Coordinates of all heavy atoms in Angstrom, one line a residue:
M1 N 0.8 -1.2 0.0 CA 0.0 0.0 0.0 C 0.9 1.3 0.0 O 1.9 1.3 0.7 CB -0.9 0.0 1.2 CG -2.0 1.0 1.2 SD -3.0 1.0 2.7 CE -2.0 1.9 3.8
D2 N 0.5 2.2 -0.8 CA 1.2 3.5 -0.8 C 0.9 4.3 0.5 O -0.3 4.6 0.7 CB 0.8 4.3 -2.1 CG 1.5 5.6 -2.2 OD1 2.2 6.0 -1.2 OD2 1.3 6.3 -3.2
P3 N 1.9 4.5 1.3 CA 1.6 5.2 2.5 C 1.1 6.6 2.3 O 0.5 7.3 3.2 CB 2.9 5.3 3.3 CG 3.9 5.0 2.2 CD 3.3 4.2 1.1
K4 N 1.2 7.2 1.1 CA 0.7 8.5 0.8 C -0.7 8.4 0.3 O -1.3 9.5 0.0 CB 1.6 9.1 -0.3 CG 3.0 9.5 0.2 CD 3.7 10.4 -0.8 CE 5.1 10.7 -0.3 NZ 6.1 10.4 -1.2
N5 N -1.2 7.3 0.2 CA -2.6 7.1 -0.3 C -3.4 6.3 0.6 O -3.7 5.1 0.4 CB -2.6 6.5 -1.7 CG -4.0 6.5 -2.3 OD1 -4.9 7.1 -1.8 ND2 -4.2 5.8 -3.4
I6 N -3.7 6.8 1.8 CA -4.5 6.1 2.8 C -5.9 6.6 2.9 O -6.2 7.8 2.6 CB -3.8 6.1 4.1 CG1 -3.6 7.5 4.6 CG2 -2.5 5.3 4.1 CD1 -3.2 7.6 6.1
T7 N -6.8 5.7 3.2 CA -8.2 6.0 3.5 C -8.5 5.7 4.9 O -8.2 4.6 5.4 CB -9.1 5.2 2.6 OG1 -8.8 5.5 1.2 CG2 -10.6 5.6 2.8
K8 N -9.0 6.7 5.6 CA -9.3 6.5 7.0 C -10.8 6.9 7.3 O -11.3 7.8 6.7 CB -8.4 7.4 7.9 CG -7.0 6.9 7.9 CD -6.3 7.2 9.2 CE -5.1 6.4 9.5 NZ -4.6 6.5 10.8
E9 N -11.3 6.1 8.3 CA -12.7 6.4 8.6 C -12.8 6.7 10.1 O -12.1 6.1 10.9 CB -13.6 5.1 8.4 CG -13.6 4.8 6.9 CD -14.7 3.7 6.6 OE1 -15.3 3.1 7.5 OE2 -14.8 3.4 5.4
Y10 N -13.7 7.7 10.4 CA -13.9 8.1 11.8 C -15.4 8.2 12.0 O -16.1 8.9 11.2 CB -13.2 9.5 12.0 CG -11.8 9.6 11.6 CD1 -11.4 9.8 10.3 CD2 -10.8 9.4 12.5 CE1 -10.1 9.9 9.9 CE2 -9.4 9.5 12.2 CZ -9.1 9.7 10.9 OH -7.8 9.8 10.5
T11 N -15.9 7.6 13.0 CA -17.4 7.6 13.2 C -17.8 8.1 14.6 O -17.0 7.9 15.6 CB -18.0 6.2 12.9 OG1 -19.4 6.3 12.9 CG2 -17.5 5.2 13.9
N12 N -18.9 8.7 14.6 CA -19.5 9.1 15.9 C -20.7 8.1 16.2 O -21.4 8.4 17.1 CB -19.9 10.5 16.0 CG -21.1 10.8 15.0 OD1 -21.6 9.9 14.4 ND2 -21.5 12.1 15.0
G13 N -20.8 7.1 15.4 CA -21.9 6.1 15.6 C -23.1 6.4 14.8 O -23.9 5.6 14.5
E14 N -23.2 7.7 14.3 CA -24.3 8.1 13.5 C -23.9 8.4 12.1 O -24.5 8.0 11.1 CB -24.9 9.4 14.1 CG -26.3 9.7 13.7 CD -26.8 10.9 14.5 OE1 -26.2 12.0 14.5 OE2 -27.9 10.7 15.2
V15 N -22.8 9.1 12.0 CA -22.2 9.4 10.6 C -20.7 9.0 10.6 O -20.1 9.1 11.7 CB -22.4 10.9 10.3 CG1 -21.6 11.8 11.3 CG2 -21.9 11.3 8.9
T16 N -20.3 8.5 9.5 CA -18.9 8.1 9.4 C -18.2 9.1 8.4 O -18.7 9.2 7.3 CB -18.7 6.7 8.9 OG1 -19.3 5.8 10.0 CG2 -17.2 6.3 8.8
I17 N -17.1 9.7 8.8 CA -16.3 10.6 8.0 C -15.2 9.7 7.3 O -14.6 8.9 8.0 CB -15.6 11.7 8.8 CG1 -16.6 12.5 9.6 CG2 -14.7 12.6 7.9 CD1 -16.0 13.3 10.8
V18 N -15.1 9.8 6.0 CA -14.1 9.1 5.2 C -13.1 10.1 4.7 O -13.5 11.1 4.1 CB -14.7 8.3 4.1 CG1 -13.6 7.5 3.4 CG2 -15.8 7.4 4.6
W19 N -11.8 9.9 4.9 CA -10.8 10.8 4.5 C -9.8 10.1 3.6 O -9.2 9.1 4.0 CB -10.1 11.5 5.6 CG -9.0 12.4 5.2 CD1 -9.1 13.6 4.6 CD2 -7.6 12.3 5.4 NE1 -7.9 14.2 4.4 CE2 -6.9 13.4 4.9 CE3 -6.8 11.3 6.0 CZ2 -5.5 13.5 4.9 CZ3 -5.4 11.4 6.1 CH2 -4.8 12.6 5.5
Q20 N -9.6 10.6 2.4 CA -8.6 10.0 1.5 C -7.4 10.9 1.3 O -7.5 12.0 0.7 CB -9.2 9.8 0.1 CG -10.4 8.7 0.1 CD -11.1 8.7 -1.2 OE1 -12.1 9.4 -1.4 NE2 -10.6 7.9 -2.1
S21 N -6.3 10.5 1.9 CA -5.1 11.3 2.0 C -4.6 11.8 0.6 O -4.2 13.0 0.5 CB -4.0 10.6 2.7 OG -3.5 9.6 1.9
A22 N -4.7 11.0 -0.4 CA -4.2 11.4 -1.7 C -4.9 12.5 -2.3 O -4.4 13.3 -3.1 CB -4.2 10.2 -2.6
K23 N -6.2 12.7 -1.9 CA -7.0 13.8 -2.6 C -6.9 15.1 -1.8 O -7.2 16.1 -2.3 CB -8.5 13.4 -2.6 CG -8.7 12.3 -3.6 CD -10.3 12.1 -3.7 CE -10.6 11.0 -4.7 NZ -12.0 10.6 -4.6
C24 N -6.4 15.0 -0.5 CA -6.4 16.2 0.3 C -5.4 17.2 -0.2 O -4.2 16.9 -0.4 CB -6.0 15.8 1.7 SG -6.0 17.2 2.9
I25 N -5.8 18.5 -0.4 CA -4.9 19.5 -0.9 C -4.5 20.4 0.3 O -4.0 21.5 0.1 CB -5.6 20.3 -2.0 CG1 -6.9 20.9 -1.6 CG2 -5.7 19.5 -3.3 CD1 -7.5 21.9 -2.6
H26 N -4.9 20.0 1.5 CA -4.5 20.7 2.7 C -4.9 22.2 2.7 O -4.1 23.1 3.1 CB -3.0 20.6 3.0 CG -2.6 19.1 3.0 ND1 -2.9 18.3 4.1 CD2 -2.0 18.3 2.1 CE1 -2.4 17.1 3.8 NE2 -1.9 17.1 2.6
S27 N -6.1 22.4 2.2 CA -6.6 23.8 2.2 C -6.9 24.3 3.5 O -7.0 25.6 3.7 CB -7.9 23.8 1.3 OG -8.9 23.1 2.0
G28 N -7.2 23.4 4.5 CA -7.5 23.9 5.8 C -9.0 24.3 6.0 O -9.4 24.7 7.1
N29 N -9.8 24.1 5.0 CA -11.2 24.5 5.1 C -11.9 23.7 6.2 O -12.7 24.3 7.0 CB -12.0 24.2 3.8 CG -11.6 25.1 2.7 OD1 -10.5 25.5 2.6 ND2 -12.6 25.4 1.8
C30 N -11.6 22.4 6.3 CA -12.3 21.6 7.4 C -12.0 22.1 8.8 O -12.9 22.3 9.6 CB -11.9 20.2 7.2 SG -10.2 19.8 7.1
A31 N -10.7 22.4 9.0 CA -10.3 22.9 10.3 C -10.9 24.3 10.6 O -11.2 24.6 11.8 CB -8.8 23.0 10.4
R32 N -11.0 25.1 9.6 CA -11.6 26.4 9.8 C -13.1 26.3 10.1 O -13.7 27.0 10.9 CB -11.4 27.4 8.6 CG -10.1 28.1 8.7 CD -10.0 29.2 7.7 NE -10.1 28.7 6.3 CZ -9.0 28.2 5.7 NH1 -7.8 28.1 6.3 NH2 -9.1 27.8 4.5
N33 N -13.8 25.5 9.3 CA -15.2 25.4 9.4 C -15.7 24.6 10.7 O -16.7 24.9 11.2 CB -15.8 24.6 8.2 CG -15.8 25.4 7.0 OD1 -16.0 26.6 7.0 ND2 -15.5 24.8 5.8
N34 N -14.8 23.7 11.2 CA -15.2 22.9 12.3 C -14.0 22.5 13.1 O -13.6 21.3 13.1 CB -16.0 21.6 11.8 CG -16.8 21.0 12.9 OD1 -16.5 21.2 14.1 ND2 -17.7 20.1 12.5
P35 N -13.4 23.5 13.8 CA -12.1 23.2 14.5 C -12.2 22.2 15.6 O -11.2 21.7 16.1 CB -11.7 24.6 15.0 CG -12.9 25.4 14.9 CD -13.8 24.9 13.9
D36 N -13.4 22.0 16.2 CA -13.5 21.0 17.3 C -13.3 19.6 16.8 O -12.8 18.7 17.5 CB -14.9 21.1 17.9 CG -15.1 22.4 18.6 OD1 -14.1 23.0 19.0 OD2 -16.3 22.9 18.8
V37 N -13.7 19.4 15.5 CA -13.6 18.0 14.9 C -12.3 17.8 14.1 O -11.6 16.8 14.3 CB -14.8 17.7 14.1 CG1 -14.7 16.4 13.3 CG2 -16.1 17.7 14.9
F38 N -12.0 18.8 13.3 CA -10.8 18.6 12.4 C -9.6 19.3 12.9 O -9.6 20.6 12.9 CB -11.2 19.2 11.0 CG -12.3 18.4 10.4 CD1 -13.7 18.7 10.6 CD2 -12.1 17.2 9.6 CE1 -14.7 18.0 10.0 CE2 -13.1 16.5 9.1 CZ -14.4 16.9 9.3
Q39 N -8.7 18.6 13.5 CA -7.5 19.1 14.1 C -6.2 18.5 13.5 O -5.7 17.5 14.0 CB -7.6 18.8 15.6 CG -8.9 19.4 16.2 CD -9.0 19.2 17.7 OE1 -8.5 18.3 18.3 NE2 -9.8 20.0 18.4
P40 N -5.8 19.1 12.4 CA -4.7 18.5 11.7 C -3.4 18.3 12.5 O -2.6 17.4 12.1 CB -4.4 19.6 10.6 CG -5.7 20.3 10.5 CD -6.3 20.3 11.8
R41 N -3.2 18.9 13.6 CA -2.0 18.7 14.3 C -2.1 17.6 15.4 O -1.1 17.3 16.1 CB -1.6 20.0 15.0 CG -1.1 21.1 14.0 CD -0.3 22.2 14.7 NE 0.2 23.1 13.6 CZ -0.5 24.1 13.2 NH1 -1.7 24.4 13.8 NH2 0.0 24.9 12.3
E42 N -3.3 17.1 15.5 CA -3.5 16.1 16.6 C -3.5 14.7 16.0 O -3.6 14.5 14.8 CB -4.9 16.3 17.2 CG -5.1 17.7 17.8 CD -4.4 17.9 19.1 OE1 -4.4 17.0 19.9 OE2 -3.8 19.0 19.3
K43 N -3.5 13.7 16.8 CA -3.6 12.3 16.4 C -4.6 11.6 17.3 O -4.3 11.6 18.5 CB -2.3 11.6 16.4 CG -1.6 11.7 15.1 CD -0.4 10.7 15.1 CE 0.5 11.0 13.8 NZ 0.5 10.1 12.8
P44 N -5.7 11.0 16.8 CA -6.2 11.2 15.5 C -6.6 12.6 15.1 O -7.0 13.3 16.0 CB -7.4 10.2 15.4 CG -7.9 10.2 16.9 CD -6.7 10.4 17.7
W45 N -6.5 13.0 13.9 CA -6.7 14.4 13.6 C -8.2 14.7 13.4 O -8.6 15.9 13.4 CB -5.9 14.8 12.3 CG -6.5 14.4 11.0 CD1 -6.3 13.2 10.4 CD2 -7.2 15.3 10.1 NE1 -6.9 13.3 9.1 CE2 -7.5 14.5 8.9 CE3 -7.6 16.6 10.1 CZ2 -8.2 15.0 7.8 CZ3 -8.3 17.1 9.0 CH2 -8.6 16.3 7.9
I46 N -9.1 13.7 13.3 CA -10.5 13.9 13.2 C -11.2 13.3 14.4 O -11.0 12.2 14.8 CB -11.1 13.3 11.9 CG1 -10.5 13.9 10.7 CG2 -12.6 13.4 11.9 CD1 -11.0 13.4 9.4
K47 N -11.9 14.2 15.1 CA -12.6 13.8 16.4 C -14.1 13.9 16.2 O -14.7 14.9 16.4 CB -12.2 14.6 17.5 CG -10.7 14.5 17.7 CD -10.2 15.2 19.0 CE -8.7 14.9 19.2 NZ -7.8 15.4 18.2
P48 N -14.7 12.8 15.6 CA -16.1 12.9 15.2 C -17.1 13.1 16.4 O -18.3 13.5 16.1 CB -16.4 11.5 14.5 CG -15.3 10.6 15.1 CD -14.1 11.5 15.4
E49 N -16.7 12.9 17.6 CA -17.6 13.1 18.7 C -17.8 14.6 19.1 O -18.6 14.9 19.9 CB -17.1 12.4 20.0 CG -16.6 11.0 19.8 CD -17.7 10.0 19.7 OE1 -18.8 10.3 19.9 OE2 -17.4 8.8 19.3
A50 N -16.9 15.4 18.5 CA -16.8 16.8 19.0 C -17.8 17.8 18.5 O -17.8 18.9 18.9 CB -15.4 17.3 18.8
S51 N -18.7 17.4 17.5 CA -19.7 18.3 17.1 C -20.9 17.5 16.6 O -20.8 16.3 16.6 CB -19.3 19.3 16.0 OG -19.4 18.7 14.7
S52 N -22.0 18.2 16.2 CA -23.2 17.4 15.8 C -22.9 16.8 14.4 O -22.1 17.2 13.7 CB -24.4 18.4 15.7 OG -24.2 19.3 14.7
S53 N -23.7 15.8 14.1 CA -23.6 15.1 12.8 C -23.9 16.1 11.7 O -23.3 16.1 10.7 CB -24.5 13.9 12.8 OG -24.1 12.9 13.7
E54 N -24.9 17.0 12.0 CA -25.3 18.0 10.9 C -24.1 18.9 10.6 O -23.9 19.1 9.4 CB -26.5 18.9 11.4 CG -27.8 18.2 11.5 CD -27.9 17.2 12.7 OE1 -27.1 17.3 13.7 OE2 -28.8 16.3 12.7
K55 N -23.4 19.3 11.6 CA -22.3 20.2 11.4 C -21.2 19.4 10.7 O -20.5 20.0 9.8 CB -21.8 20.7 12.8 CG -20.6 21.6 12.7 CD -20.8 23.0 12.5 CE -19.6 23.8 12.6 NZ -19.6 25.0 11.9
I56 N -21.0 18.2 11.0 CA -20.0 17.4 10.3 C -20.3 17.3 8.9 O -19.4 17.5 8.0 CB -19.9 16.0 11.0 CG1 -19.2 16.1 12.4 CG2 -19.1 15.0 10.1 CD1 -19.2 14.8 13.2
I57 N -21.5 17.0 8.5 CA -21.9 16.8 7.1 C -21.7 18.1 6.4 O -21.2 18.1 5.3 CB -23.4 16.3 7.1 CG1 -23.5 14.9 7.6 CG2 -23.9 16.4 5.6 CD1 -24.9 14.4 7.9
E58 N -22.1 19.2 7.0 CA -21.9 20.5 6.4 C -20.5 20.8 6.1 O -20.1 21.2 5.0 CB -22.5 21.5 7.4 CG -22.8 22.9 6.9 CD -23.2 23.8 8.0 OE1 -24.1 23.5 8.8 OE2 -22.5 24.8 8.2
T59 N -19.6 20.4 7.0 CA -18.2 20.7 6.8 C -17.6 19.8 5.7 O -16.8 20.2 4.9 CB -17.4 20.4 8.2 OG1 -18.0 21.1 9.2 CG2 -15.9 20.7 8.1
V60 N -18.0 18.5 5.8 CA -17.5 17.6 4.8 C -17.9 18.0 3.4 O -17.1 18.0 2.4 CB -18.1 16.1 5.0 CG1 -17.9 15.2 3.8 CG2 -17.4 15.5 6.3
N61 N -19.1 18.6 3.2 CA -19.6 19.0 1.9 C -18.8 20.2 1.4 O -18.9 20.5 0.2 CB -21.1 19.3 2.0 CG -21.9 18.0 2.0 OD1 -21.5 17.0 1.6 ND2 -23.1 18.1 2.5
K62 N -18.1 20.9 2.3 CA -17.4 22.1 1.9 C -15.9 21.8 1.5 O -15.1 22.7 1.2 CB -17.4 23.2 3.0 CG -18.7 23.9 3.1 CD -18.7 24.9 4.2 CE -20.0 25.6 4.4 NZ -20.1 26.2 5.7
C63 N -15.5 20.5 1.7 CA -14.1 20.1 1.3 C -13.9 20.3 -0.2 O -14.7 19.7 -1.0 CB -13.9 18.7 1.7 SG -12.3 18.1 1.2
P64 N -13.0 21.2 -0.6 CA -12.9 21.5 -2.0 C -12.3 20.4 -2.9 O -12.5 20.5 -4.1 CB -11.9 22.7 -2.0 CG -11.1 22.6 -0.7 CD -12.0 21.9 0.3
S65 N -11.6 19.4 -2.3 CA -10.9 18.4 -3.1 C -11.7 17.1 -3.2 O -11.3 16.3 -4.0 CB -9.6 18.2 -2.5 OG -9.8 17.5 -1.2
G66 N -12.7 16.9 -2.4 CA -13.4 15.6 -2.4 C -12.6 14.6 -1.5 O -13.0 13.4 -1.5
A67 N -11.6 15.1 -0.8 CA -10.9 14.1 0.1 C -11.8 13.7 1.3 O -11.7 12.5 1.7 CB -9.7 14.8 0.7
L68 N -12.7 14.5 1.7 CA -13.7 14.1 2.7 C -15.0 13.7 2.1 O -15.6 14.5 1.3 CB -13.9 15.3 3.7 CG -12.8 15.7 4.6 CD1 -13.2 17.0 5.4 CD2 -12.4 14.6 5.6
T69 N -15.5 12.6 2.5 CA -16.9 12.2 2.2 C -17.4 11.6 3.5 O -16.8 11.5 4.5 CB -16.9 11.1 1.1 OG1 -16.0 10.0 1.5 CG2 -16.4 11.7 -0.2
Y70 N -18.7 11.3 3.5 CA -19.3 10.7 4.7 C -20.4 9.7 4.3 O -20.9 9.7 3.1 CB -19.9 11.8 5.6 CG -21.2 12.4 5.0 CD1 -22.4 11.8 5.3 CD2 -21.2 13.4 4.1 CE1 -23.6 12.3 4.8 CE2 -22.3 14.0 3.6 CZ -23.6 13.4 3.9 OH -24.7 13.9 3.4
F71 N -20.7 8.8 5.2 CA -21.9 8.0 5.0 C -22.6 7.9 6.3 O -22.0 8.0 7.4 CB -21.6 6.7 4.4 CG -20.7 5.8 5.2 CD1 -21.2 4.9 6.2 CD2 -19.4 5.7 4.9 CE1 -20.3 4.1 6.9 CE2 -18.5 4.9 5.6 CZ -19.0 4.1 6.6
L72 N -24.0 7.7 6.3 CA -24.7 7.6 7.5 C -24.7 6.1 7.9 O -24.9 5.2 7.1 CB -26.2 8.1 7.3 CG -26.3 9.6 6.9 CD1 -27.8 9.9 6.6 CD2 -25.8 10.4 8.0
N73 N -24.5 5.9 9.2 CA -24.4 4.6 9.7 C -25.8 4.0 9.7 O -26.8 4.7 9.9 CB -23.8 4.5 11.1 CG -22.4 5.0 11.1 OD1 -21.9 5.7 10.2 ND2 -21.7 4.7 12.2
K74 N -25.8 2.7 9.5 CA -27.1 2.0 9.7 C -27.5 1.9 11.1 O -26.7 1.7 12.0 CB -27.0 0.6 9.1 CG -26.9 0.6 7.6 CD -27.3 -0.7 7.0 CE -27.2 -0.7 5.5 NZ -25.8 -1.1 5.1
K75 N -28.8 2.1 11.4 CA -29.2 2.1 12.8 C -29.6 0.6 13.2 O -29.9 -0.2 12.4 CB -30.5 2.9 12.9 CG -30.2 4.4 12.6 CD -30.8 5.3 13.6 CE -30.2 6.7 13.5 NZ -31.1 7.7 13.0
Ligands
SF4_101 S1 -11.1 20.6 3.6 FE1 -10.6 18.7 2.5 S2 -8.8 19.3 1.2 FE2 -9.0 20.8 2.8 S3 -7.6 20.1 4.5 FE3 -9.7 19.3 4.9 S4 -9.7 17.3 4.0 FE4 -8.0 18.4 3.1

């Protein structure tokens, strides 16, 4: 596996954030829009418990590169 092309998933139980490293252009939009969840200097850098699912979805939809996507978890 190319270490520069990883896909990671982070879930709060309701929504799962998917991040594809190869697509990320490091614009910082996610961290600006939702700094409680997207913390590029931390590990793990996405903390899905830190805001509402609605806010997460809104932030993911603003990712300019398509690196962030999401799916709703099955209940
Ligand atoms: S908004 Fe998208 S492209 Fe920008 S840093 Fe976040 S994940 Fe990467």
Side-chain angles (χ1 to χ4, degrees):
M1 192 180 81
D2 180 353
K4 289 190 181 127
N5 185 10
I6 54 168
T7 299
K8 289 211 161 191
E9 294 189 358
Y10 307 84
T11 188
N12 67 4
E14 198 171 58
V15 63
T16 298
I17 303 164
V18 183
W19 178 68
Q20 294 171 268
S21 68
K23 289 188 183 171
C24 181
I25 56 170
H26 305 287
S27 66
N29 289 34
C30 51
R32 272 193 299 279
N33 288 323
N34 198 340
D36 293 333
V37 171
F38 296 90
Q39 302 182 335
R41 292 199 175 89
E42 307 281 321
K43 269 189 190 248
W45 80 278
I46 296 179
K47 300 188 173 64
E49 315 280 352
S51 84
S52 67
S53 295
E54 289 75 20
K55 175 89 175 152
I56 286 172
I57 290 166
E58 200 185 300
T59 307
V60 166
N61 284 338
K62 286 182 183 160
C63 173
S65 68
L68 289 174
T69 53
Y70 74 90
F71 60 85
L72 297 175
N73 295 18
K74 291 204 179 85
K75 296 223 167 110

